[in-house]
Amino acid sequence: MPERVELKTREQMRVMARAGVIVERALAAASAAAVAGATTRDVDAAAAAVIADAGATSNFLGYHGFPATACVSVNEEIVHGIPGDRVLEAGDVVSIDCGAIVDGWHGDSARTLIVGEPLAQADVDLVEGTRRALWAGIAALATAKRLEDVAAAIEDETERAGLHPLVGYVGHGIGTAMHQPPEVMNYRTRGRLAKVRPGLCVAIEPMNVIGTSESEVLADDWTVVSADGSRGAHWEHSIAVHDDGIWVLTAADGGAEGLREFGVSPVPLA
Ligand code: MG
Ligand code: MG
């Protein structure tokens, strides 16, 4: 199915990078707030404060009625958790996803952390394996002809870690809207995916579970939980493809640190 892909100019991608670094700072503040005894609402408030102080706007708040600035998903909650009264405990696996808009251009990023000391090595492997799957996908984007190459790299890294991808949830194009074509799959599929070319901006976001690929949505109509109650992780960055290479928009270093182990260097948009 042909999809209309919004290709960005370099100047537009530079504005997206401004939104992206605000998201990075919001996630850093939210992560710092995710300590034992804090509520998931406290985590959300930390992200919201950074976005407001930066003069940016949240793209999550009010999105199809979503009531918060960040999705905060704990343990068997994989994505789209609604922040609230839940109190975090040592060993919890917490995924935080948020985004920001600057001058109409969107950024979107997520990360997963463990509160205090991990309860099990499996939790450490879950978080690290999903983080690596993200960076493997971003590294593949640097030389990909089509997004199939990105999906394959994410799937291979996920499999290597012994994890299972959340089926039915995907990454996406990003620009003047948070979610736009093309879809970015986290595993191989039969269909053809979009061509990778300068101007393409995508959010790559592997969502992995320890036990099962099956999930359910809770009665709040948002929270996605693993069907077997096992824990999940979610890592995401928004990335620009330009004439000279790729640049991770939601990282101040363009992704240099994360890409290093894959032998890829980001190329500045300047
Ligand atoms: Mg996100
Ligand atoms: Mg996203």
Side-chain angles (χ1 to χ4, degrees), residues 2 14 67 94 113 117 140 153 174 194 218 220-221 225 228 259 270:
R14 278 197 283 266
V94 182
L113 58 89
E117 287 300 305
I174 183 166
L218 296 185
D220 63 19
D221 280 339
V225 298
D228 66 356
L259 287 166

Side-chain angles (χ1 to χ4, degrees), residues 11-240:
E11 182 50 38
Q12 290 166 340
M13 291 188 276
R14 278 197 283 266
V15 181
M16 290 179 71
R18 283 167 49 209
V21 294
I22 293 168
V23 176
E24 181 181 44
R25 295 203 326 257
L27 282 176
S31 300
V35 295
T39 65
T40 52
R41 185 179 285 113
D42 296 332
V43 175
D44 179 67
V50 169
I51 292 170
D53 286 352
T57 310
S58 168
N59 40 15
F60 281 42
L61 186 63
Y63 180 85
H64 293 284
F66 190 77
T69 298
C71 295
V72 184
S73 309
V74 183
N75 297 336
E76 78 287 353
E77 300 171 354
I78 317 302
V79 289
H80 303 167
I82 300 175
D85 296 330
R86 183 168 182 162
V87 176
L88 298 176
E89 296 174 19
D92 280 347
V93 174
V94 182
S95 297
I96 307 167
D97 187 354
C98 79
I101 311 169
V102 170
D103 294 342
W105 294 91
H106 290 243
D108 183 12
S109 182
R111 60 174 72 165
T112 301
L113 58 89
I114 297 174
V115 177
E117 287 300 305
L119 294 180
Q121 183 60 37
D123 291 346
V124 178
D125 296 343
L126 166 70
V127 174
E128 175 58 16
T130 308
R131 188 195 68 80
R132 274 189 63 92
L134 168 63
W135 286 106
I138 297 171
L141 182 68
T143 53
K145 295 274 181 271
R146 308 187 77 98
L147 289 174
E148 279 94 323
D149 302 338
V150 173
I154 295 171
E155 180 182 320
D156 288 346
E157 199 60 45
T158 295
E159 200 157 282
R160 196 168 295 132
L163 301 170
H164 302 96
L166 194 66
V167 167
Y169 292 84
V170 301
H172 49 90
I174 183 166
T176 54
M178 177 162 60
H179 296 137
Q180 57 181 209
E183 285 192 337
V184 185
M185 304 302 294
N186 292 316
Y187 42 85
R188 291 174 178 86
T189 50
R190 283 180 182 279
R192 284 207 104 182
L193 301 181
K195 245 184 211 161
V196 174
R197 54 188 157 173
L200 179 73
C201 294
V202 287
I204 298 179
E205 50 179 317
M207 293 156 263
N208 289 333
V209 187
I210 292 176
T212 178
S213 289
E214 306 304 315
S215 61
E216 295 163 7
V217 178
L218 296 185
D220 63 19
D221 280 339
W222 281 104
T223 314
V224 178
V225 298
S226 63
D228 66 356
S230 67
R231 295 178 164 196
H234 178 209
W235 284 83
E236 176 181 25
H237 273 301
S238 301
I239 306 106

